[in-house]
């Protein structure tokens, strides 16, 4: 049963898609509050106590976070609701630190009211009295869109306590503990020490930090019910996912696909490939490289990707053109990892710099035959030792690169390269090449 009384049927096609990206007929891409309410009823009004009925509906939906970790949303909500240090806070995590991902920005720019509804649903579920919205400082369109949406809702009581914070342009600034410190006017860097935000976050209160896409799903679950949400996808991974597709495809962009969709169906949706591809980066820079053959036979579900050492993560699916060198592209990303650190942990400051430098040397065809062993040893040295998960993400990326591009690694060690295209493919924003 839906929590909110529906004014209309949800605006979706015969297949039940799109959902998050379904929009009424509007000019431009922005959906104002009136158009939004024509297809989405108002969310429950947050109170001072957690809403158990809403909590049960989220549990029944089996929704998981869409920011990368795929943590069960209901478990996170209950942990915050059980806090004993004041009325909880909801933080909308609009940081999209991975340059290859654009899904959260798309929702903030075009569907801000769906995201705000999700924040209100989360606030009702945990009994929160404040909402803080974090948006990357360089995303001017997202800031303007959310401010405009808040102005349309200026008479909503809870949103009077809502504010926006700008997140610095560094990957670790979007980590949940970094966000809490930023909101409390501290440095946007993670802390390794407990407590976690759900125990003591913003202002010392229990704090829910939730990804933009997850909140958008939460809004629709409250409006249309868990059974509706589970109407597409797989039994264990229900619903849809927003996927940012790039690389050797005809129409790169953000697509909404049911969980479990075959990769071949995704390729059809994006107009097919423009050329052969040698590998696919799944889950973004915190994800894994997968060979072309394995990827083409796979599906967009963690259950299918797990045997390949991959997960959908942030929803990035990048098809690497066959003429592009996977070693060079991986070296670019490894150097990007080294530049994203908070400069507070040895594994990041020294370990990631060493790994990035070693891969750059390999990309320049200047490495000796021991480079692979050194890279794997360094990866083991930094794994699980940082204040945040940045080293772990880098290690996963590098290990899969050395495996999937094994033949190319051997060519580079011998001083050759099979690439026929020498232009960078993966977006990095501040690319400086494999130097």
């Amino acid at each position: 049963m839906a929590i909110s009384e529906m004014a209309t049927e949800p605006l979706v096609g015969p297949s039940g898609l799109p959902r998050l990206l379904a929009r009424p007929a509007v000019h431009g891409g922005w959906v104002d509050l009136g158009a939004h309410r024509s297809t989405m009823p108002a969310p429950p009004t947050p109170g001072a106590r957690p809403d158990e009925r809403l909590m049960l509906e989220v549990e029944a939906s089996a929704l998981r976070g869409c920011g990368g970790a795929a943590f069960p949303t209901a478990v996170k909500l209950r942990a915050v609701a059980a806090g004993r240090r004041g009325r909880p806070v909801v933080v909308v995590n609009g940081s999209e630190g991975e340059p290859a991902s654009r899904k959260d920005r798309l929702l903030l720019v075009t569907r801000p009211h769906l995201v705000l509804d999700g924040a209100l649903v989360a606030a009702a579920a945990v009994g929160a009295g404040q909402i803080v919205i974090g948006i990357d400082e360089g995303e001017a369109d997202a800031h303007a869109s959310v401010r405009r949406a808040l102005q349309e809702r200026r008479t909503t009581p809870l949103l009077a306590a809502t504010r926006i914070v700008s997140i610095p342009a560094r990957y670790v600034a979007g980590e949940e503990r970094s966000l809490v410190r930023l909101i409390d006017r501290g440095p946007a860097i993670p802390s390794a020490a407990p407590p976690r935000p759900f125990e003591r976050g913003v202002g010392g209160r229990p704090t829910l930090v939730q990804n933009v896409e997850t909140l958008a799903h939460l809004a629709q679950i409250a409006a249309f019910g868990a059974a509706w949400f589970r109407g597409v996808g797989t039994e264990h991974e229900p619903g849809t996912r927003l996927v940012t597709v790039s690389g050797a495809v005809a129409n790169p962009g953000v697509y909404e696909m049911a969980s479990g969709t075959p990769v071949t169906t995704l390729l059809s949706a994006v107009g097919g490939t423009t050329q052969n591809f040698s590998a696919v980066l799944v889950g973004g820079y915190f994800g894994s490289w997968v060979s072309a053959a394995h990827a083409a036979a796979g599906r967009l579900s963690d259950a299918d990707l797990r045997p390949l050492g991959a997960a959908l993560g942030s929803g990035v699916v990048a098809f690497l053109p066959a003429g592009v060198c996977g070693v060079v592209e991986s070296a670019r990303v490894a150097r990007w990892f080294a530049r994203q650190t908070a400069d507070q942990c040895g594994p990041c400051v020294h370990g990631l710099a060493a790994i990035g430098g070693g891969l750059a040397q390999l990309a320049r065809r200047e490495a000796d035959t021991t480079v692979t062993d050194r890279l794997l040893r360094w990866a083991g040295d930094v794994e699980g030792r940082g204040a945040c998960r940045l080293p772990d993400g880098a290690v996963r990326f590098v290990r899969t690169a050395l495996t999937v591009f094994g033949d190319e690694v051997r060519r580079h060690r011998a001083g050759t390269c099979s690439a026929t295209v020498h232009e960078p493919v993966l977006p990095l924003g501040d690319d400086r090449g494999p130097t």
Side-chain angles (χ1 to χ4, degrees), residues 7-28:
T8 62
E9 289 295 317
L11 183 65
V12 296
S15 66
L17 294 173
R19 290 178 166 191
L20 301 182
L21 300 185
R23 291 180 293 181
V26 293
H27 297 292

Side-chain angles (χ1 to χ4, degrees), residues 213-376:
E213 182 187 346
T214 311
L215 290 172
H217 284 300
L218 201 59
Q220 293 191 330
I221 290 167
F224 309 126
W228 173 86
F229 177 77
R230 299 182 67 97
V232 299
T234 70
E235 179 183 357
H236 298 294
E237 297 176 51
T240 65
R241 286 297 306 271
L242 295 184
V243 182
T244 308
V245 187
S246 62
V249 295
N251 299 298
V254 178
Y255 292 81
E256 185 173 13
M257 310 298 293
S259 296
T261 296
V263 172
T264 52
T265 302
L266 173 66
L267 282 171
S268 296
V270 302
T273 58
T274 55
Q275 56 187 293
N276 290 334
F277 57 93
S278 61
V280 181
L281 180 60
V282 180
Y285 302 156
F286 263 62
S288 307
W289 284 109
V290 177
S291 70
H294 283 130
R299 299 193 306 163
L300 299 177
S301 78
D302 287 347
D304 275 65
L305 293 168
R306 197 173 296 116
L308 305 177
L312 196 53
S314 62
V316 169
V317 181
F319 295 85
L320 186 71
V324 175
C325 178
V327 171
V328 171
E329 287 297 294
S330 297
R332 292 176 57 237
V333 175
R335 295 294 283 176
W336 175 85
F337 269 115
R339 295 193 295 271
Q340 297 303 306
T341 74
D343 296 329
Q344 67 174 348
C345 298
C348 272
V349 175
H350 304 298
L352 295 190
I355 291 171
L359 262 180
Q361 188 181 33
L362 181 63
R364 295 193 303 267
R365 287 165 281 171
E366 297 173 356
D368 59 33
T369 56
T370 66
V371 64
T372 303
D373 290 338
R374 290 201 312 275
L375 287 169
L376 291 174

Side-chain angles (χ1 to χ4, degrees), residues 45-46 120 129 153-162:
T45 301
L120 284 166
R153 293 173 177 236
R154 60 189 177 276
T155 59
T156 305
L158 179 61
L159 291 183
T162 298

Side-chain angles (χ1 to χ4, degrees), residues 127-150:
Q130 182 183 3
I131 296 171
V132 183
I133 305 165
I135 305 174
D136 288 333
E137 63 183 6
E139 298 292 354
D141 288 349
H143 277 271
S145 174
V146 174
R147 284 197 299 269
R148 182 179 172 190
L150 288 174

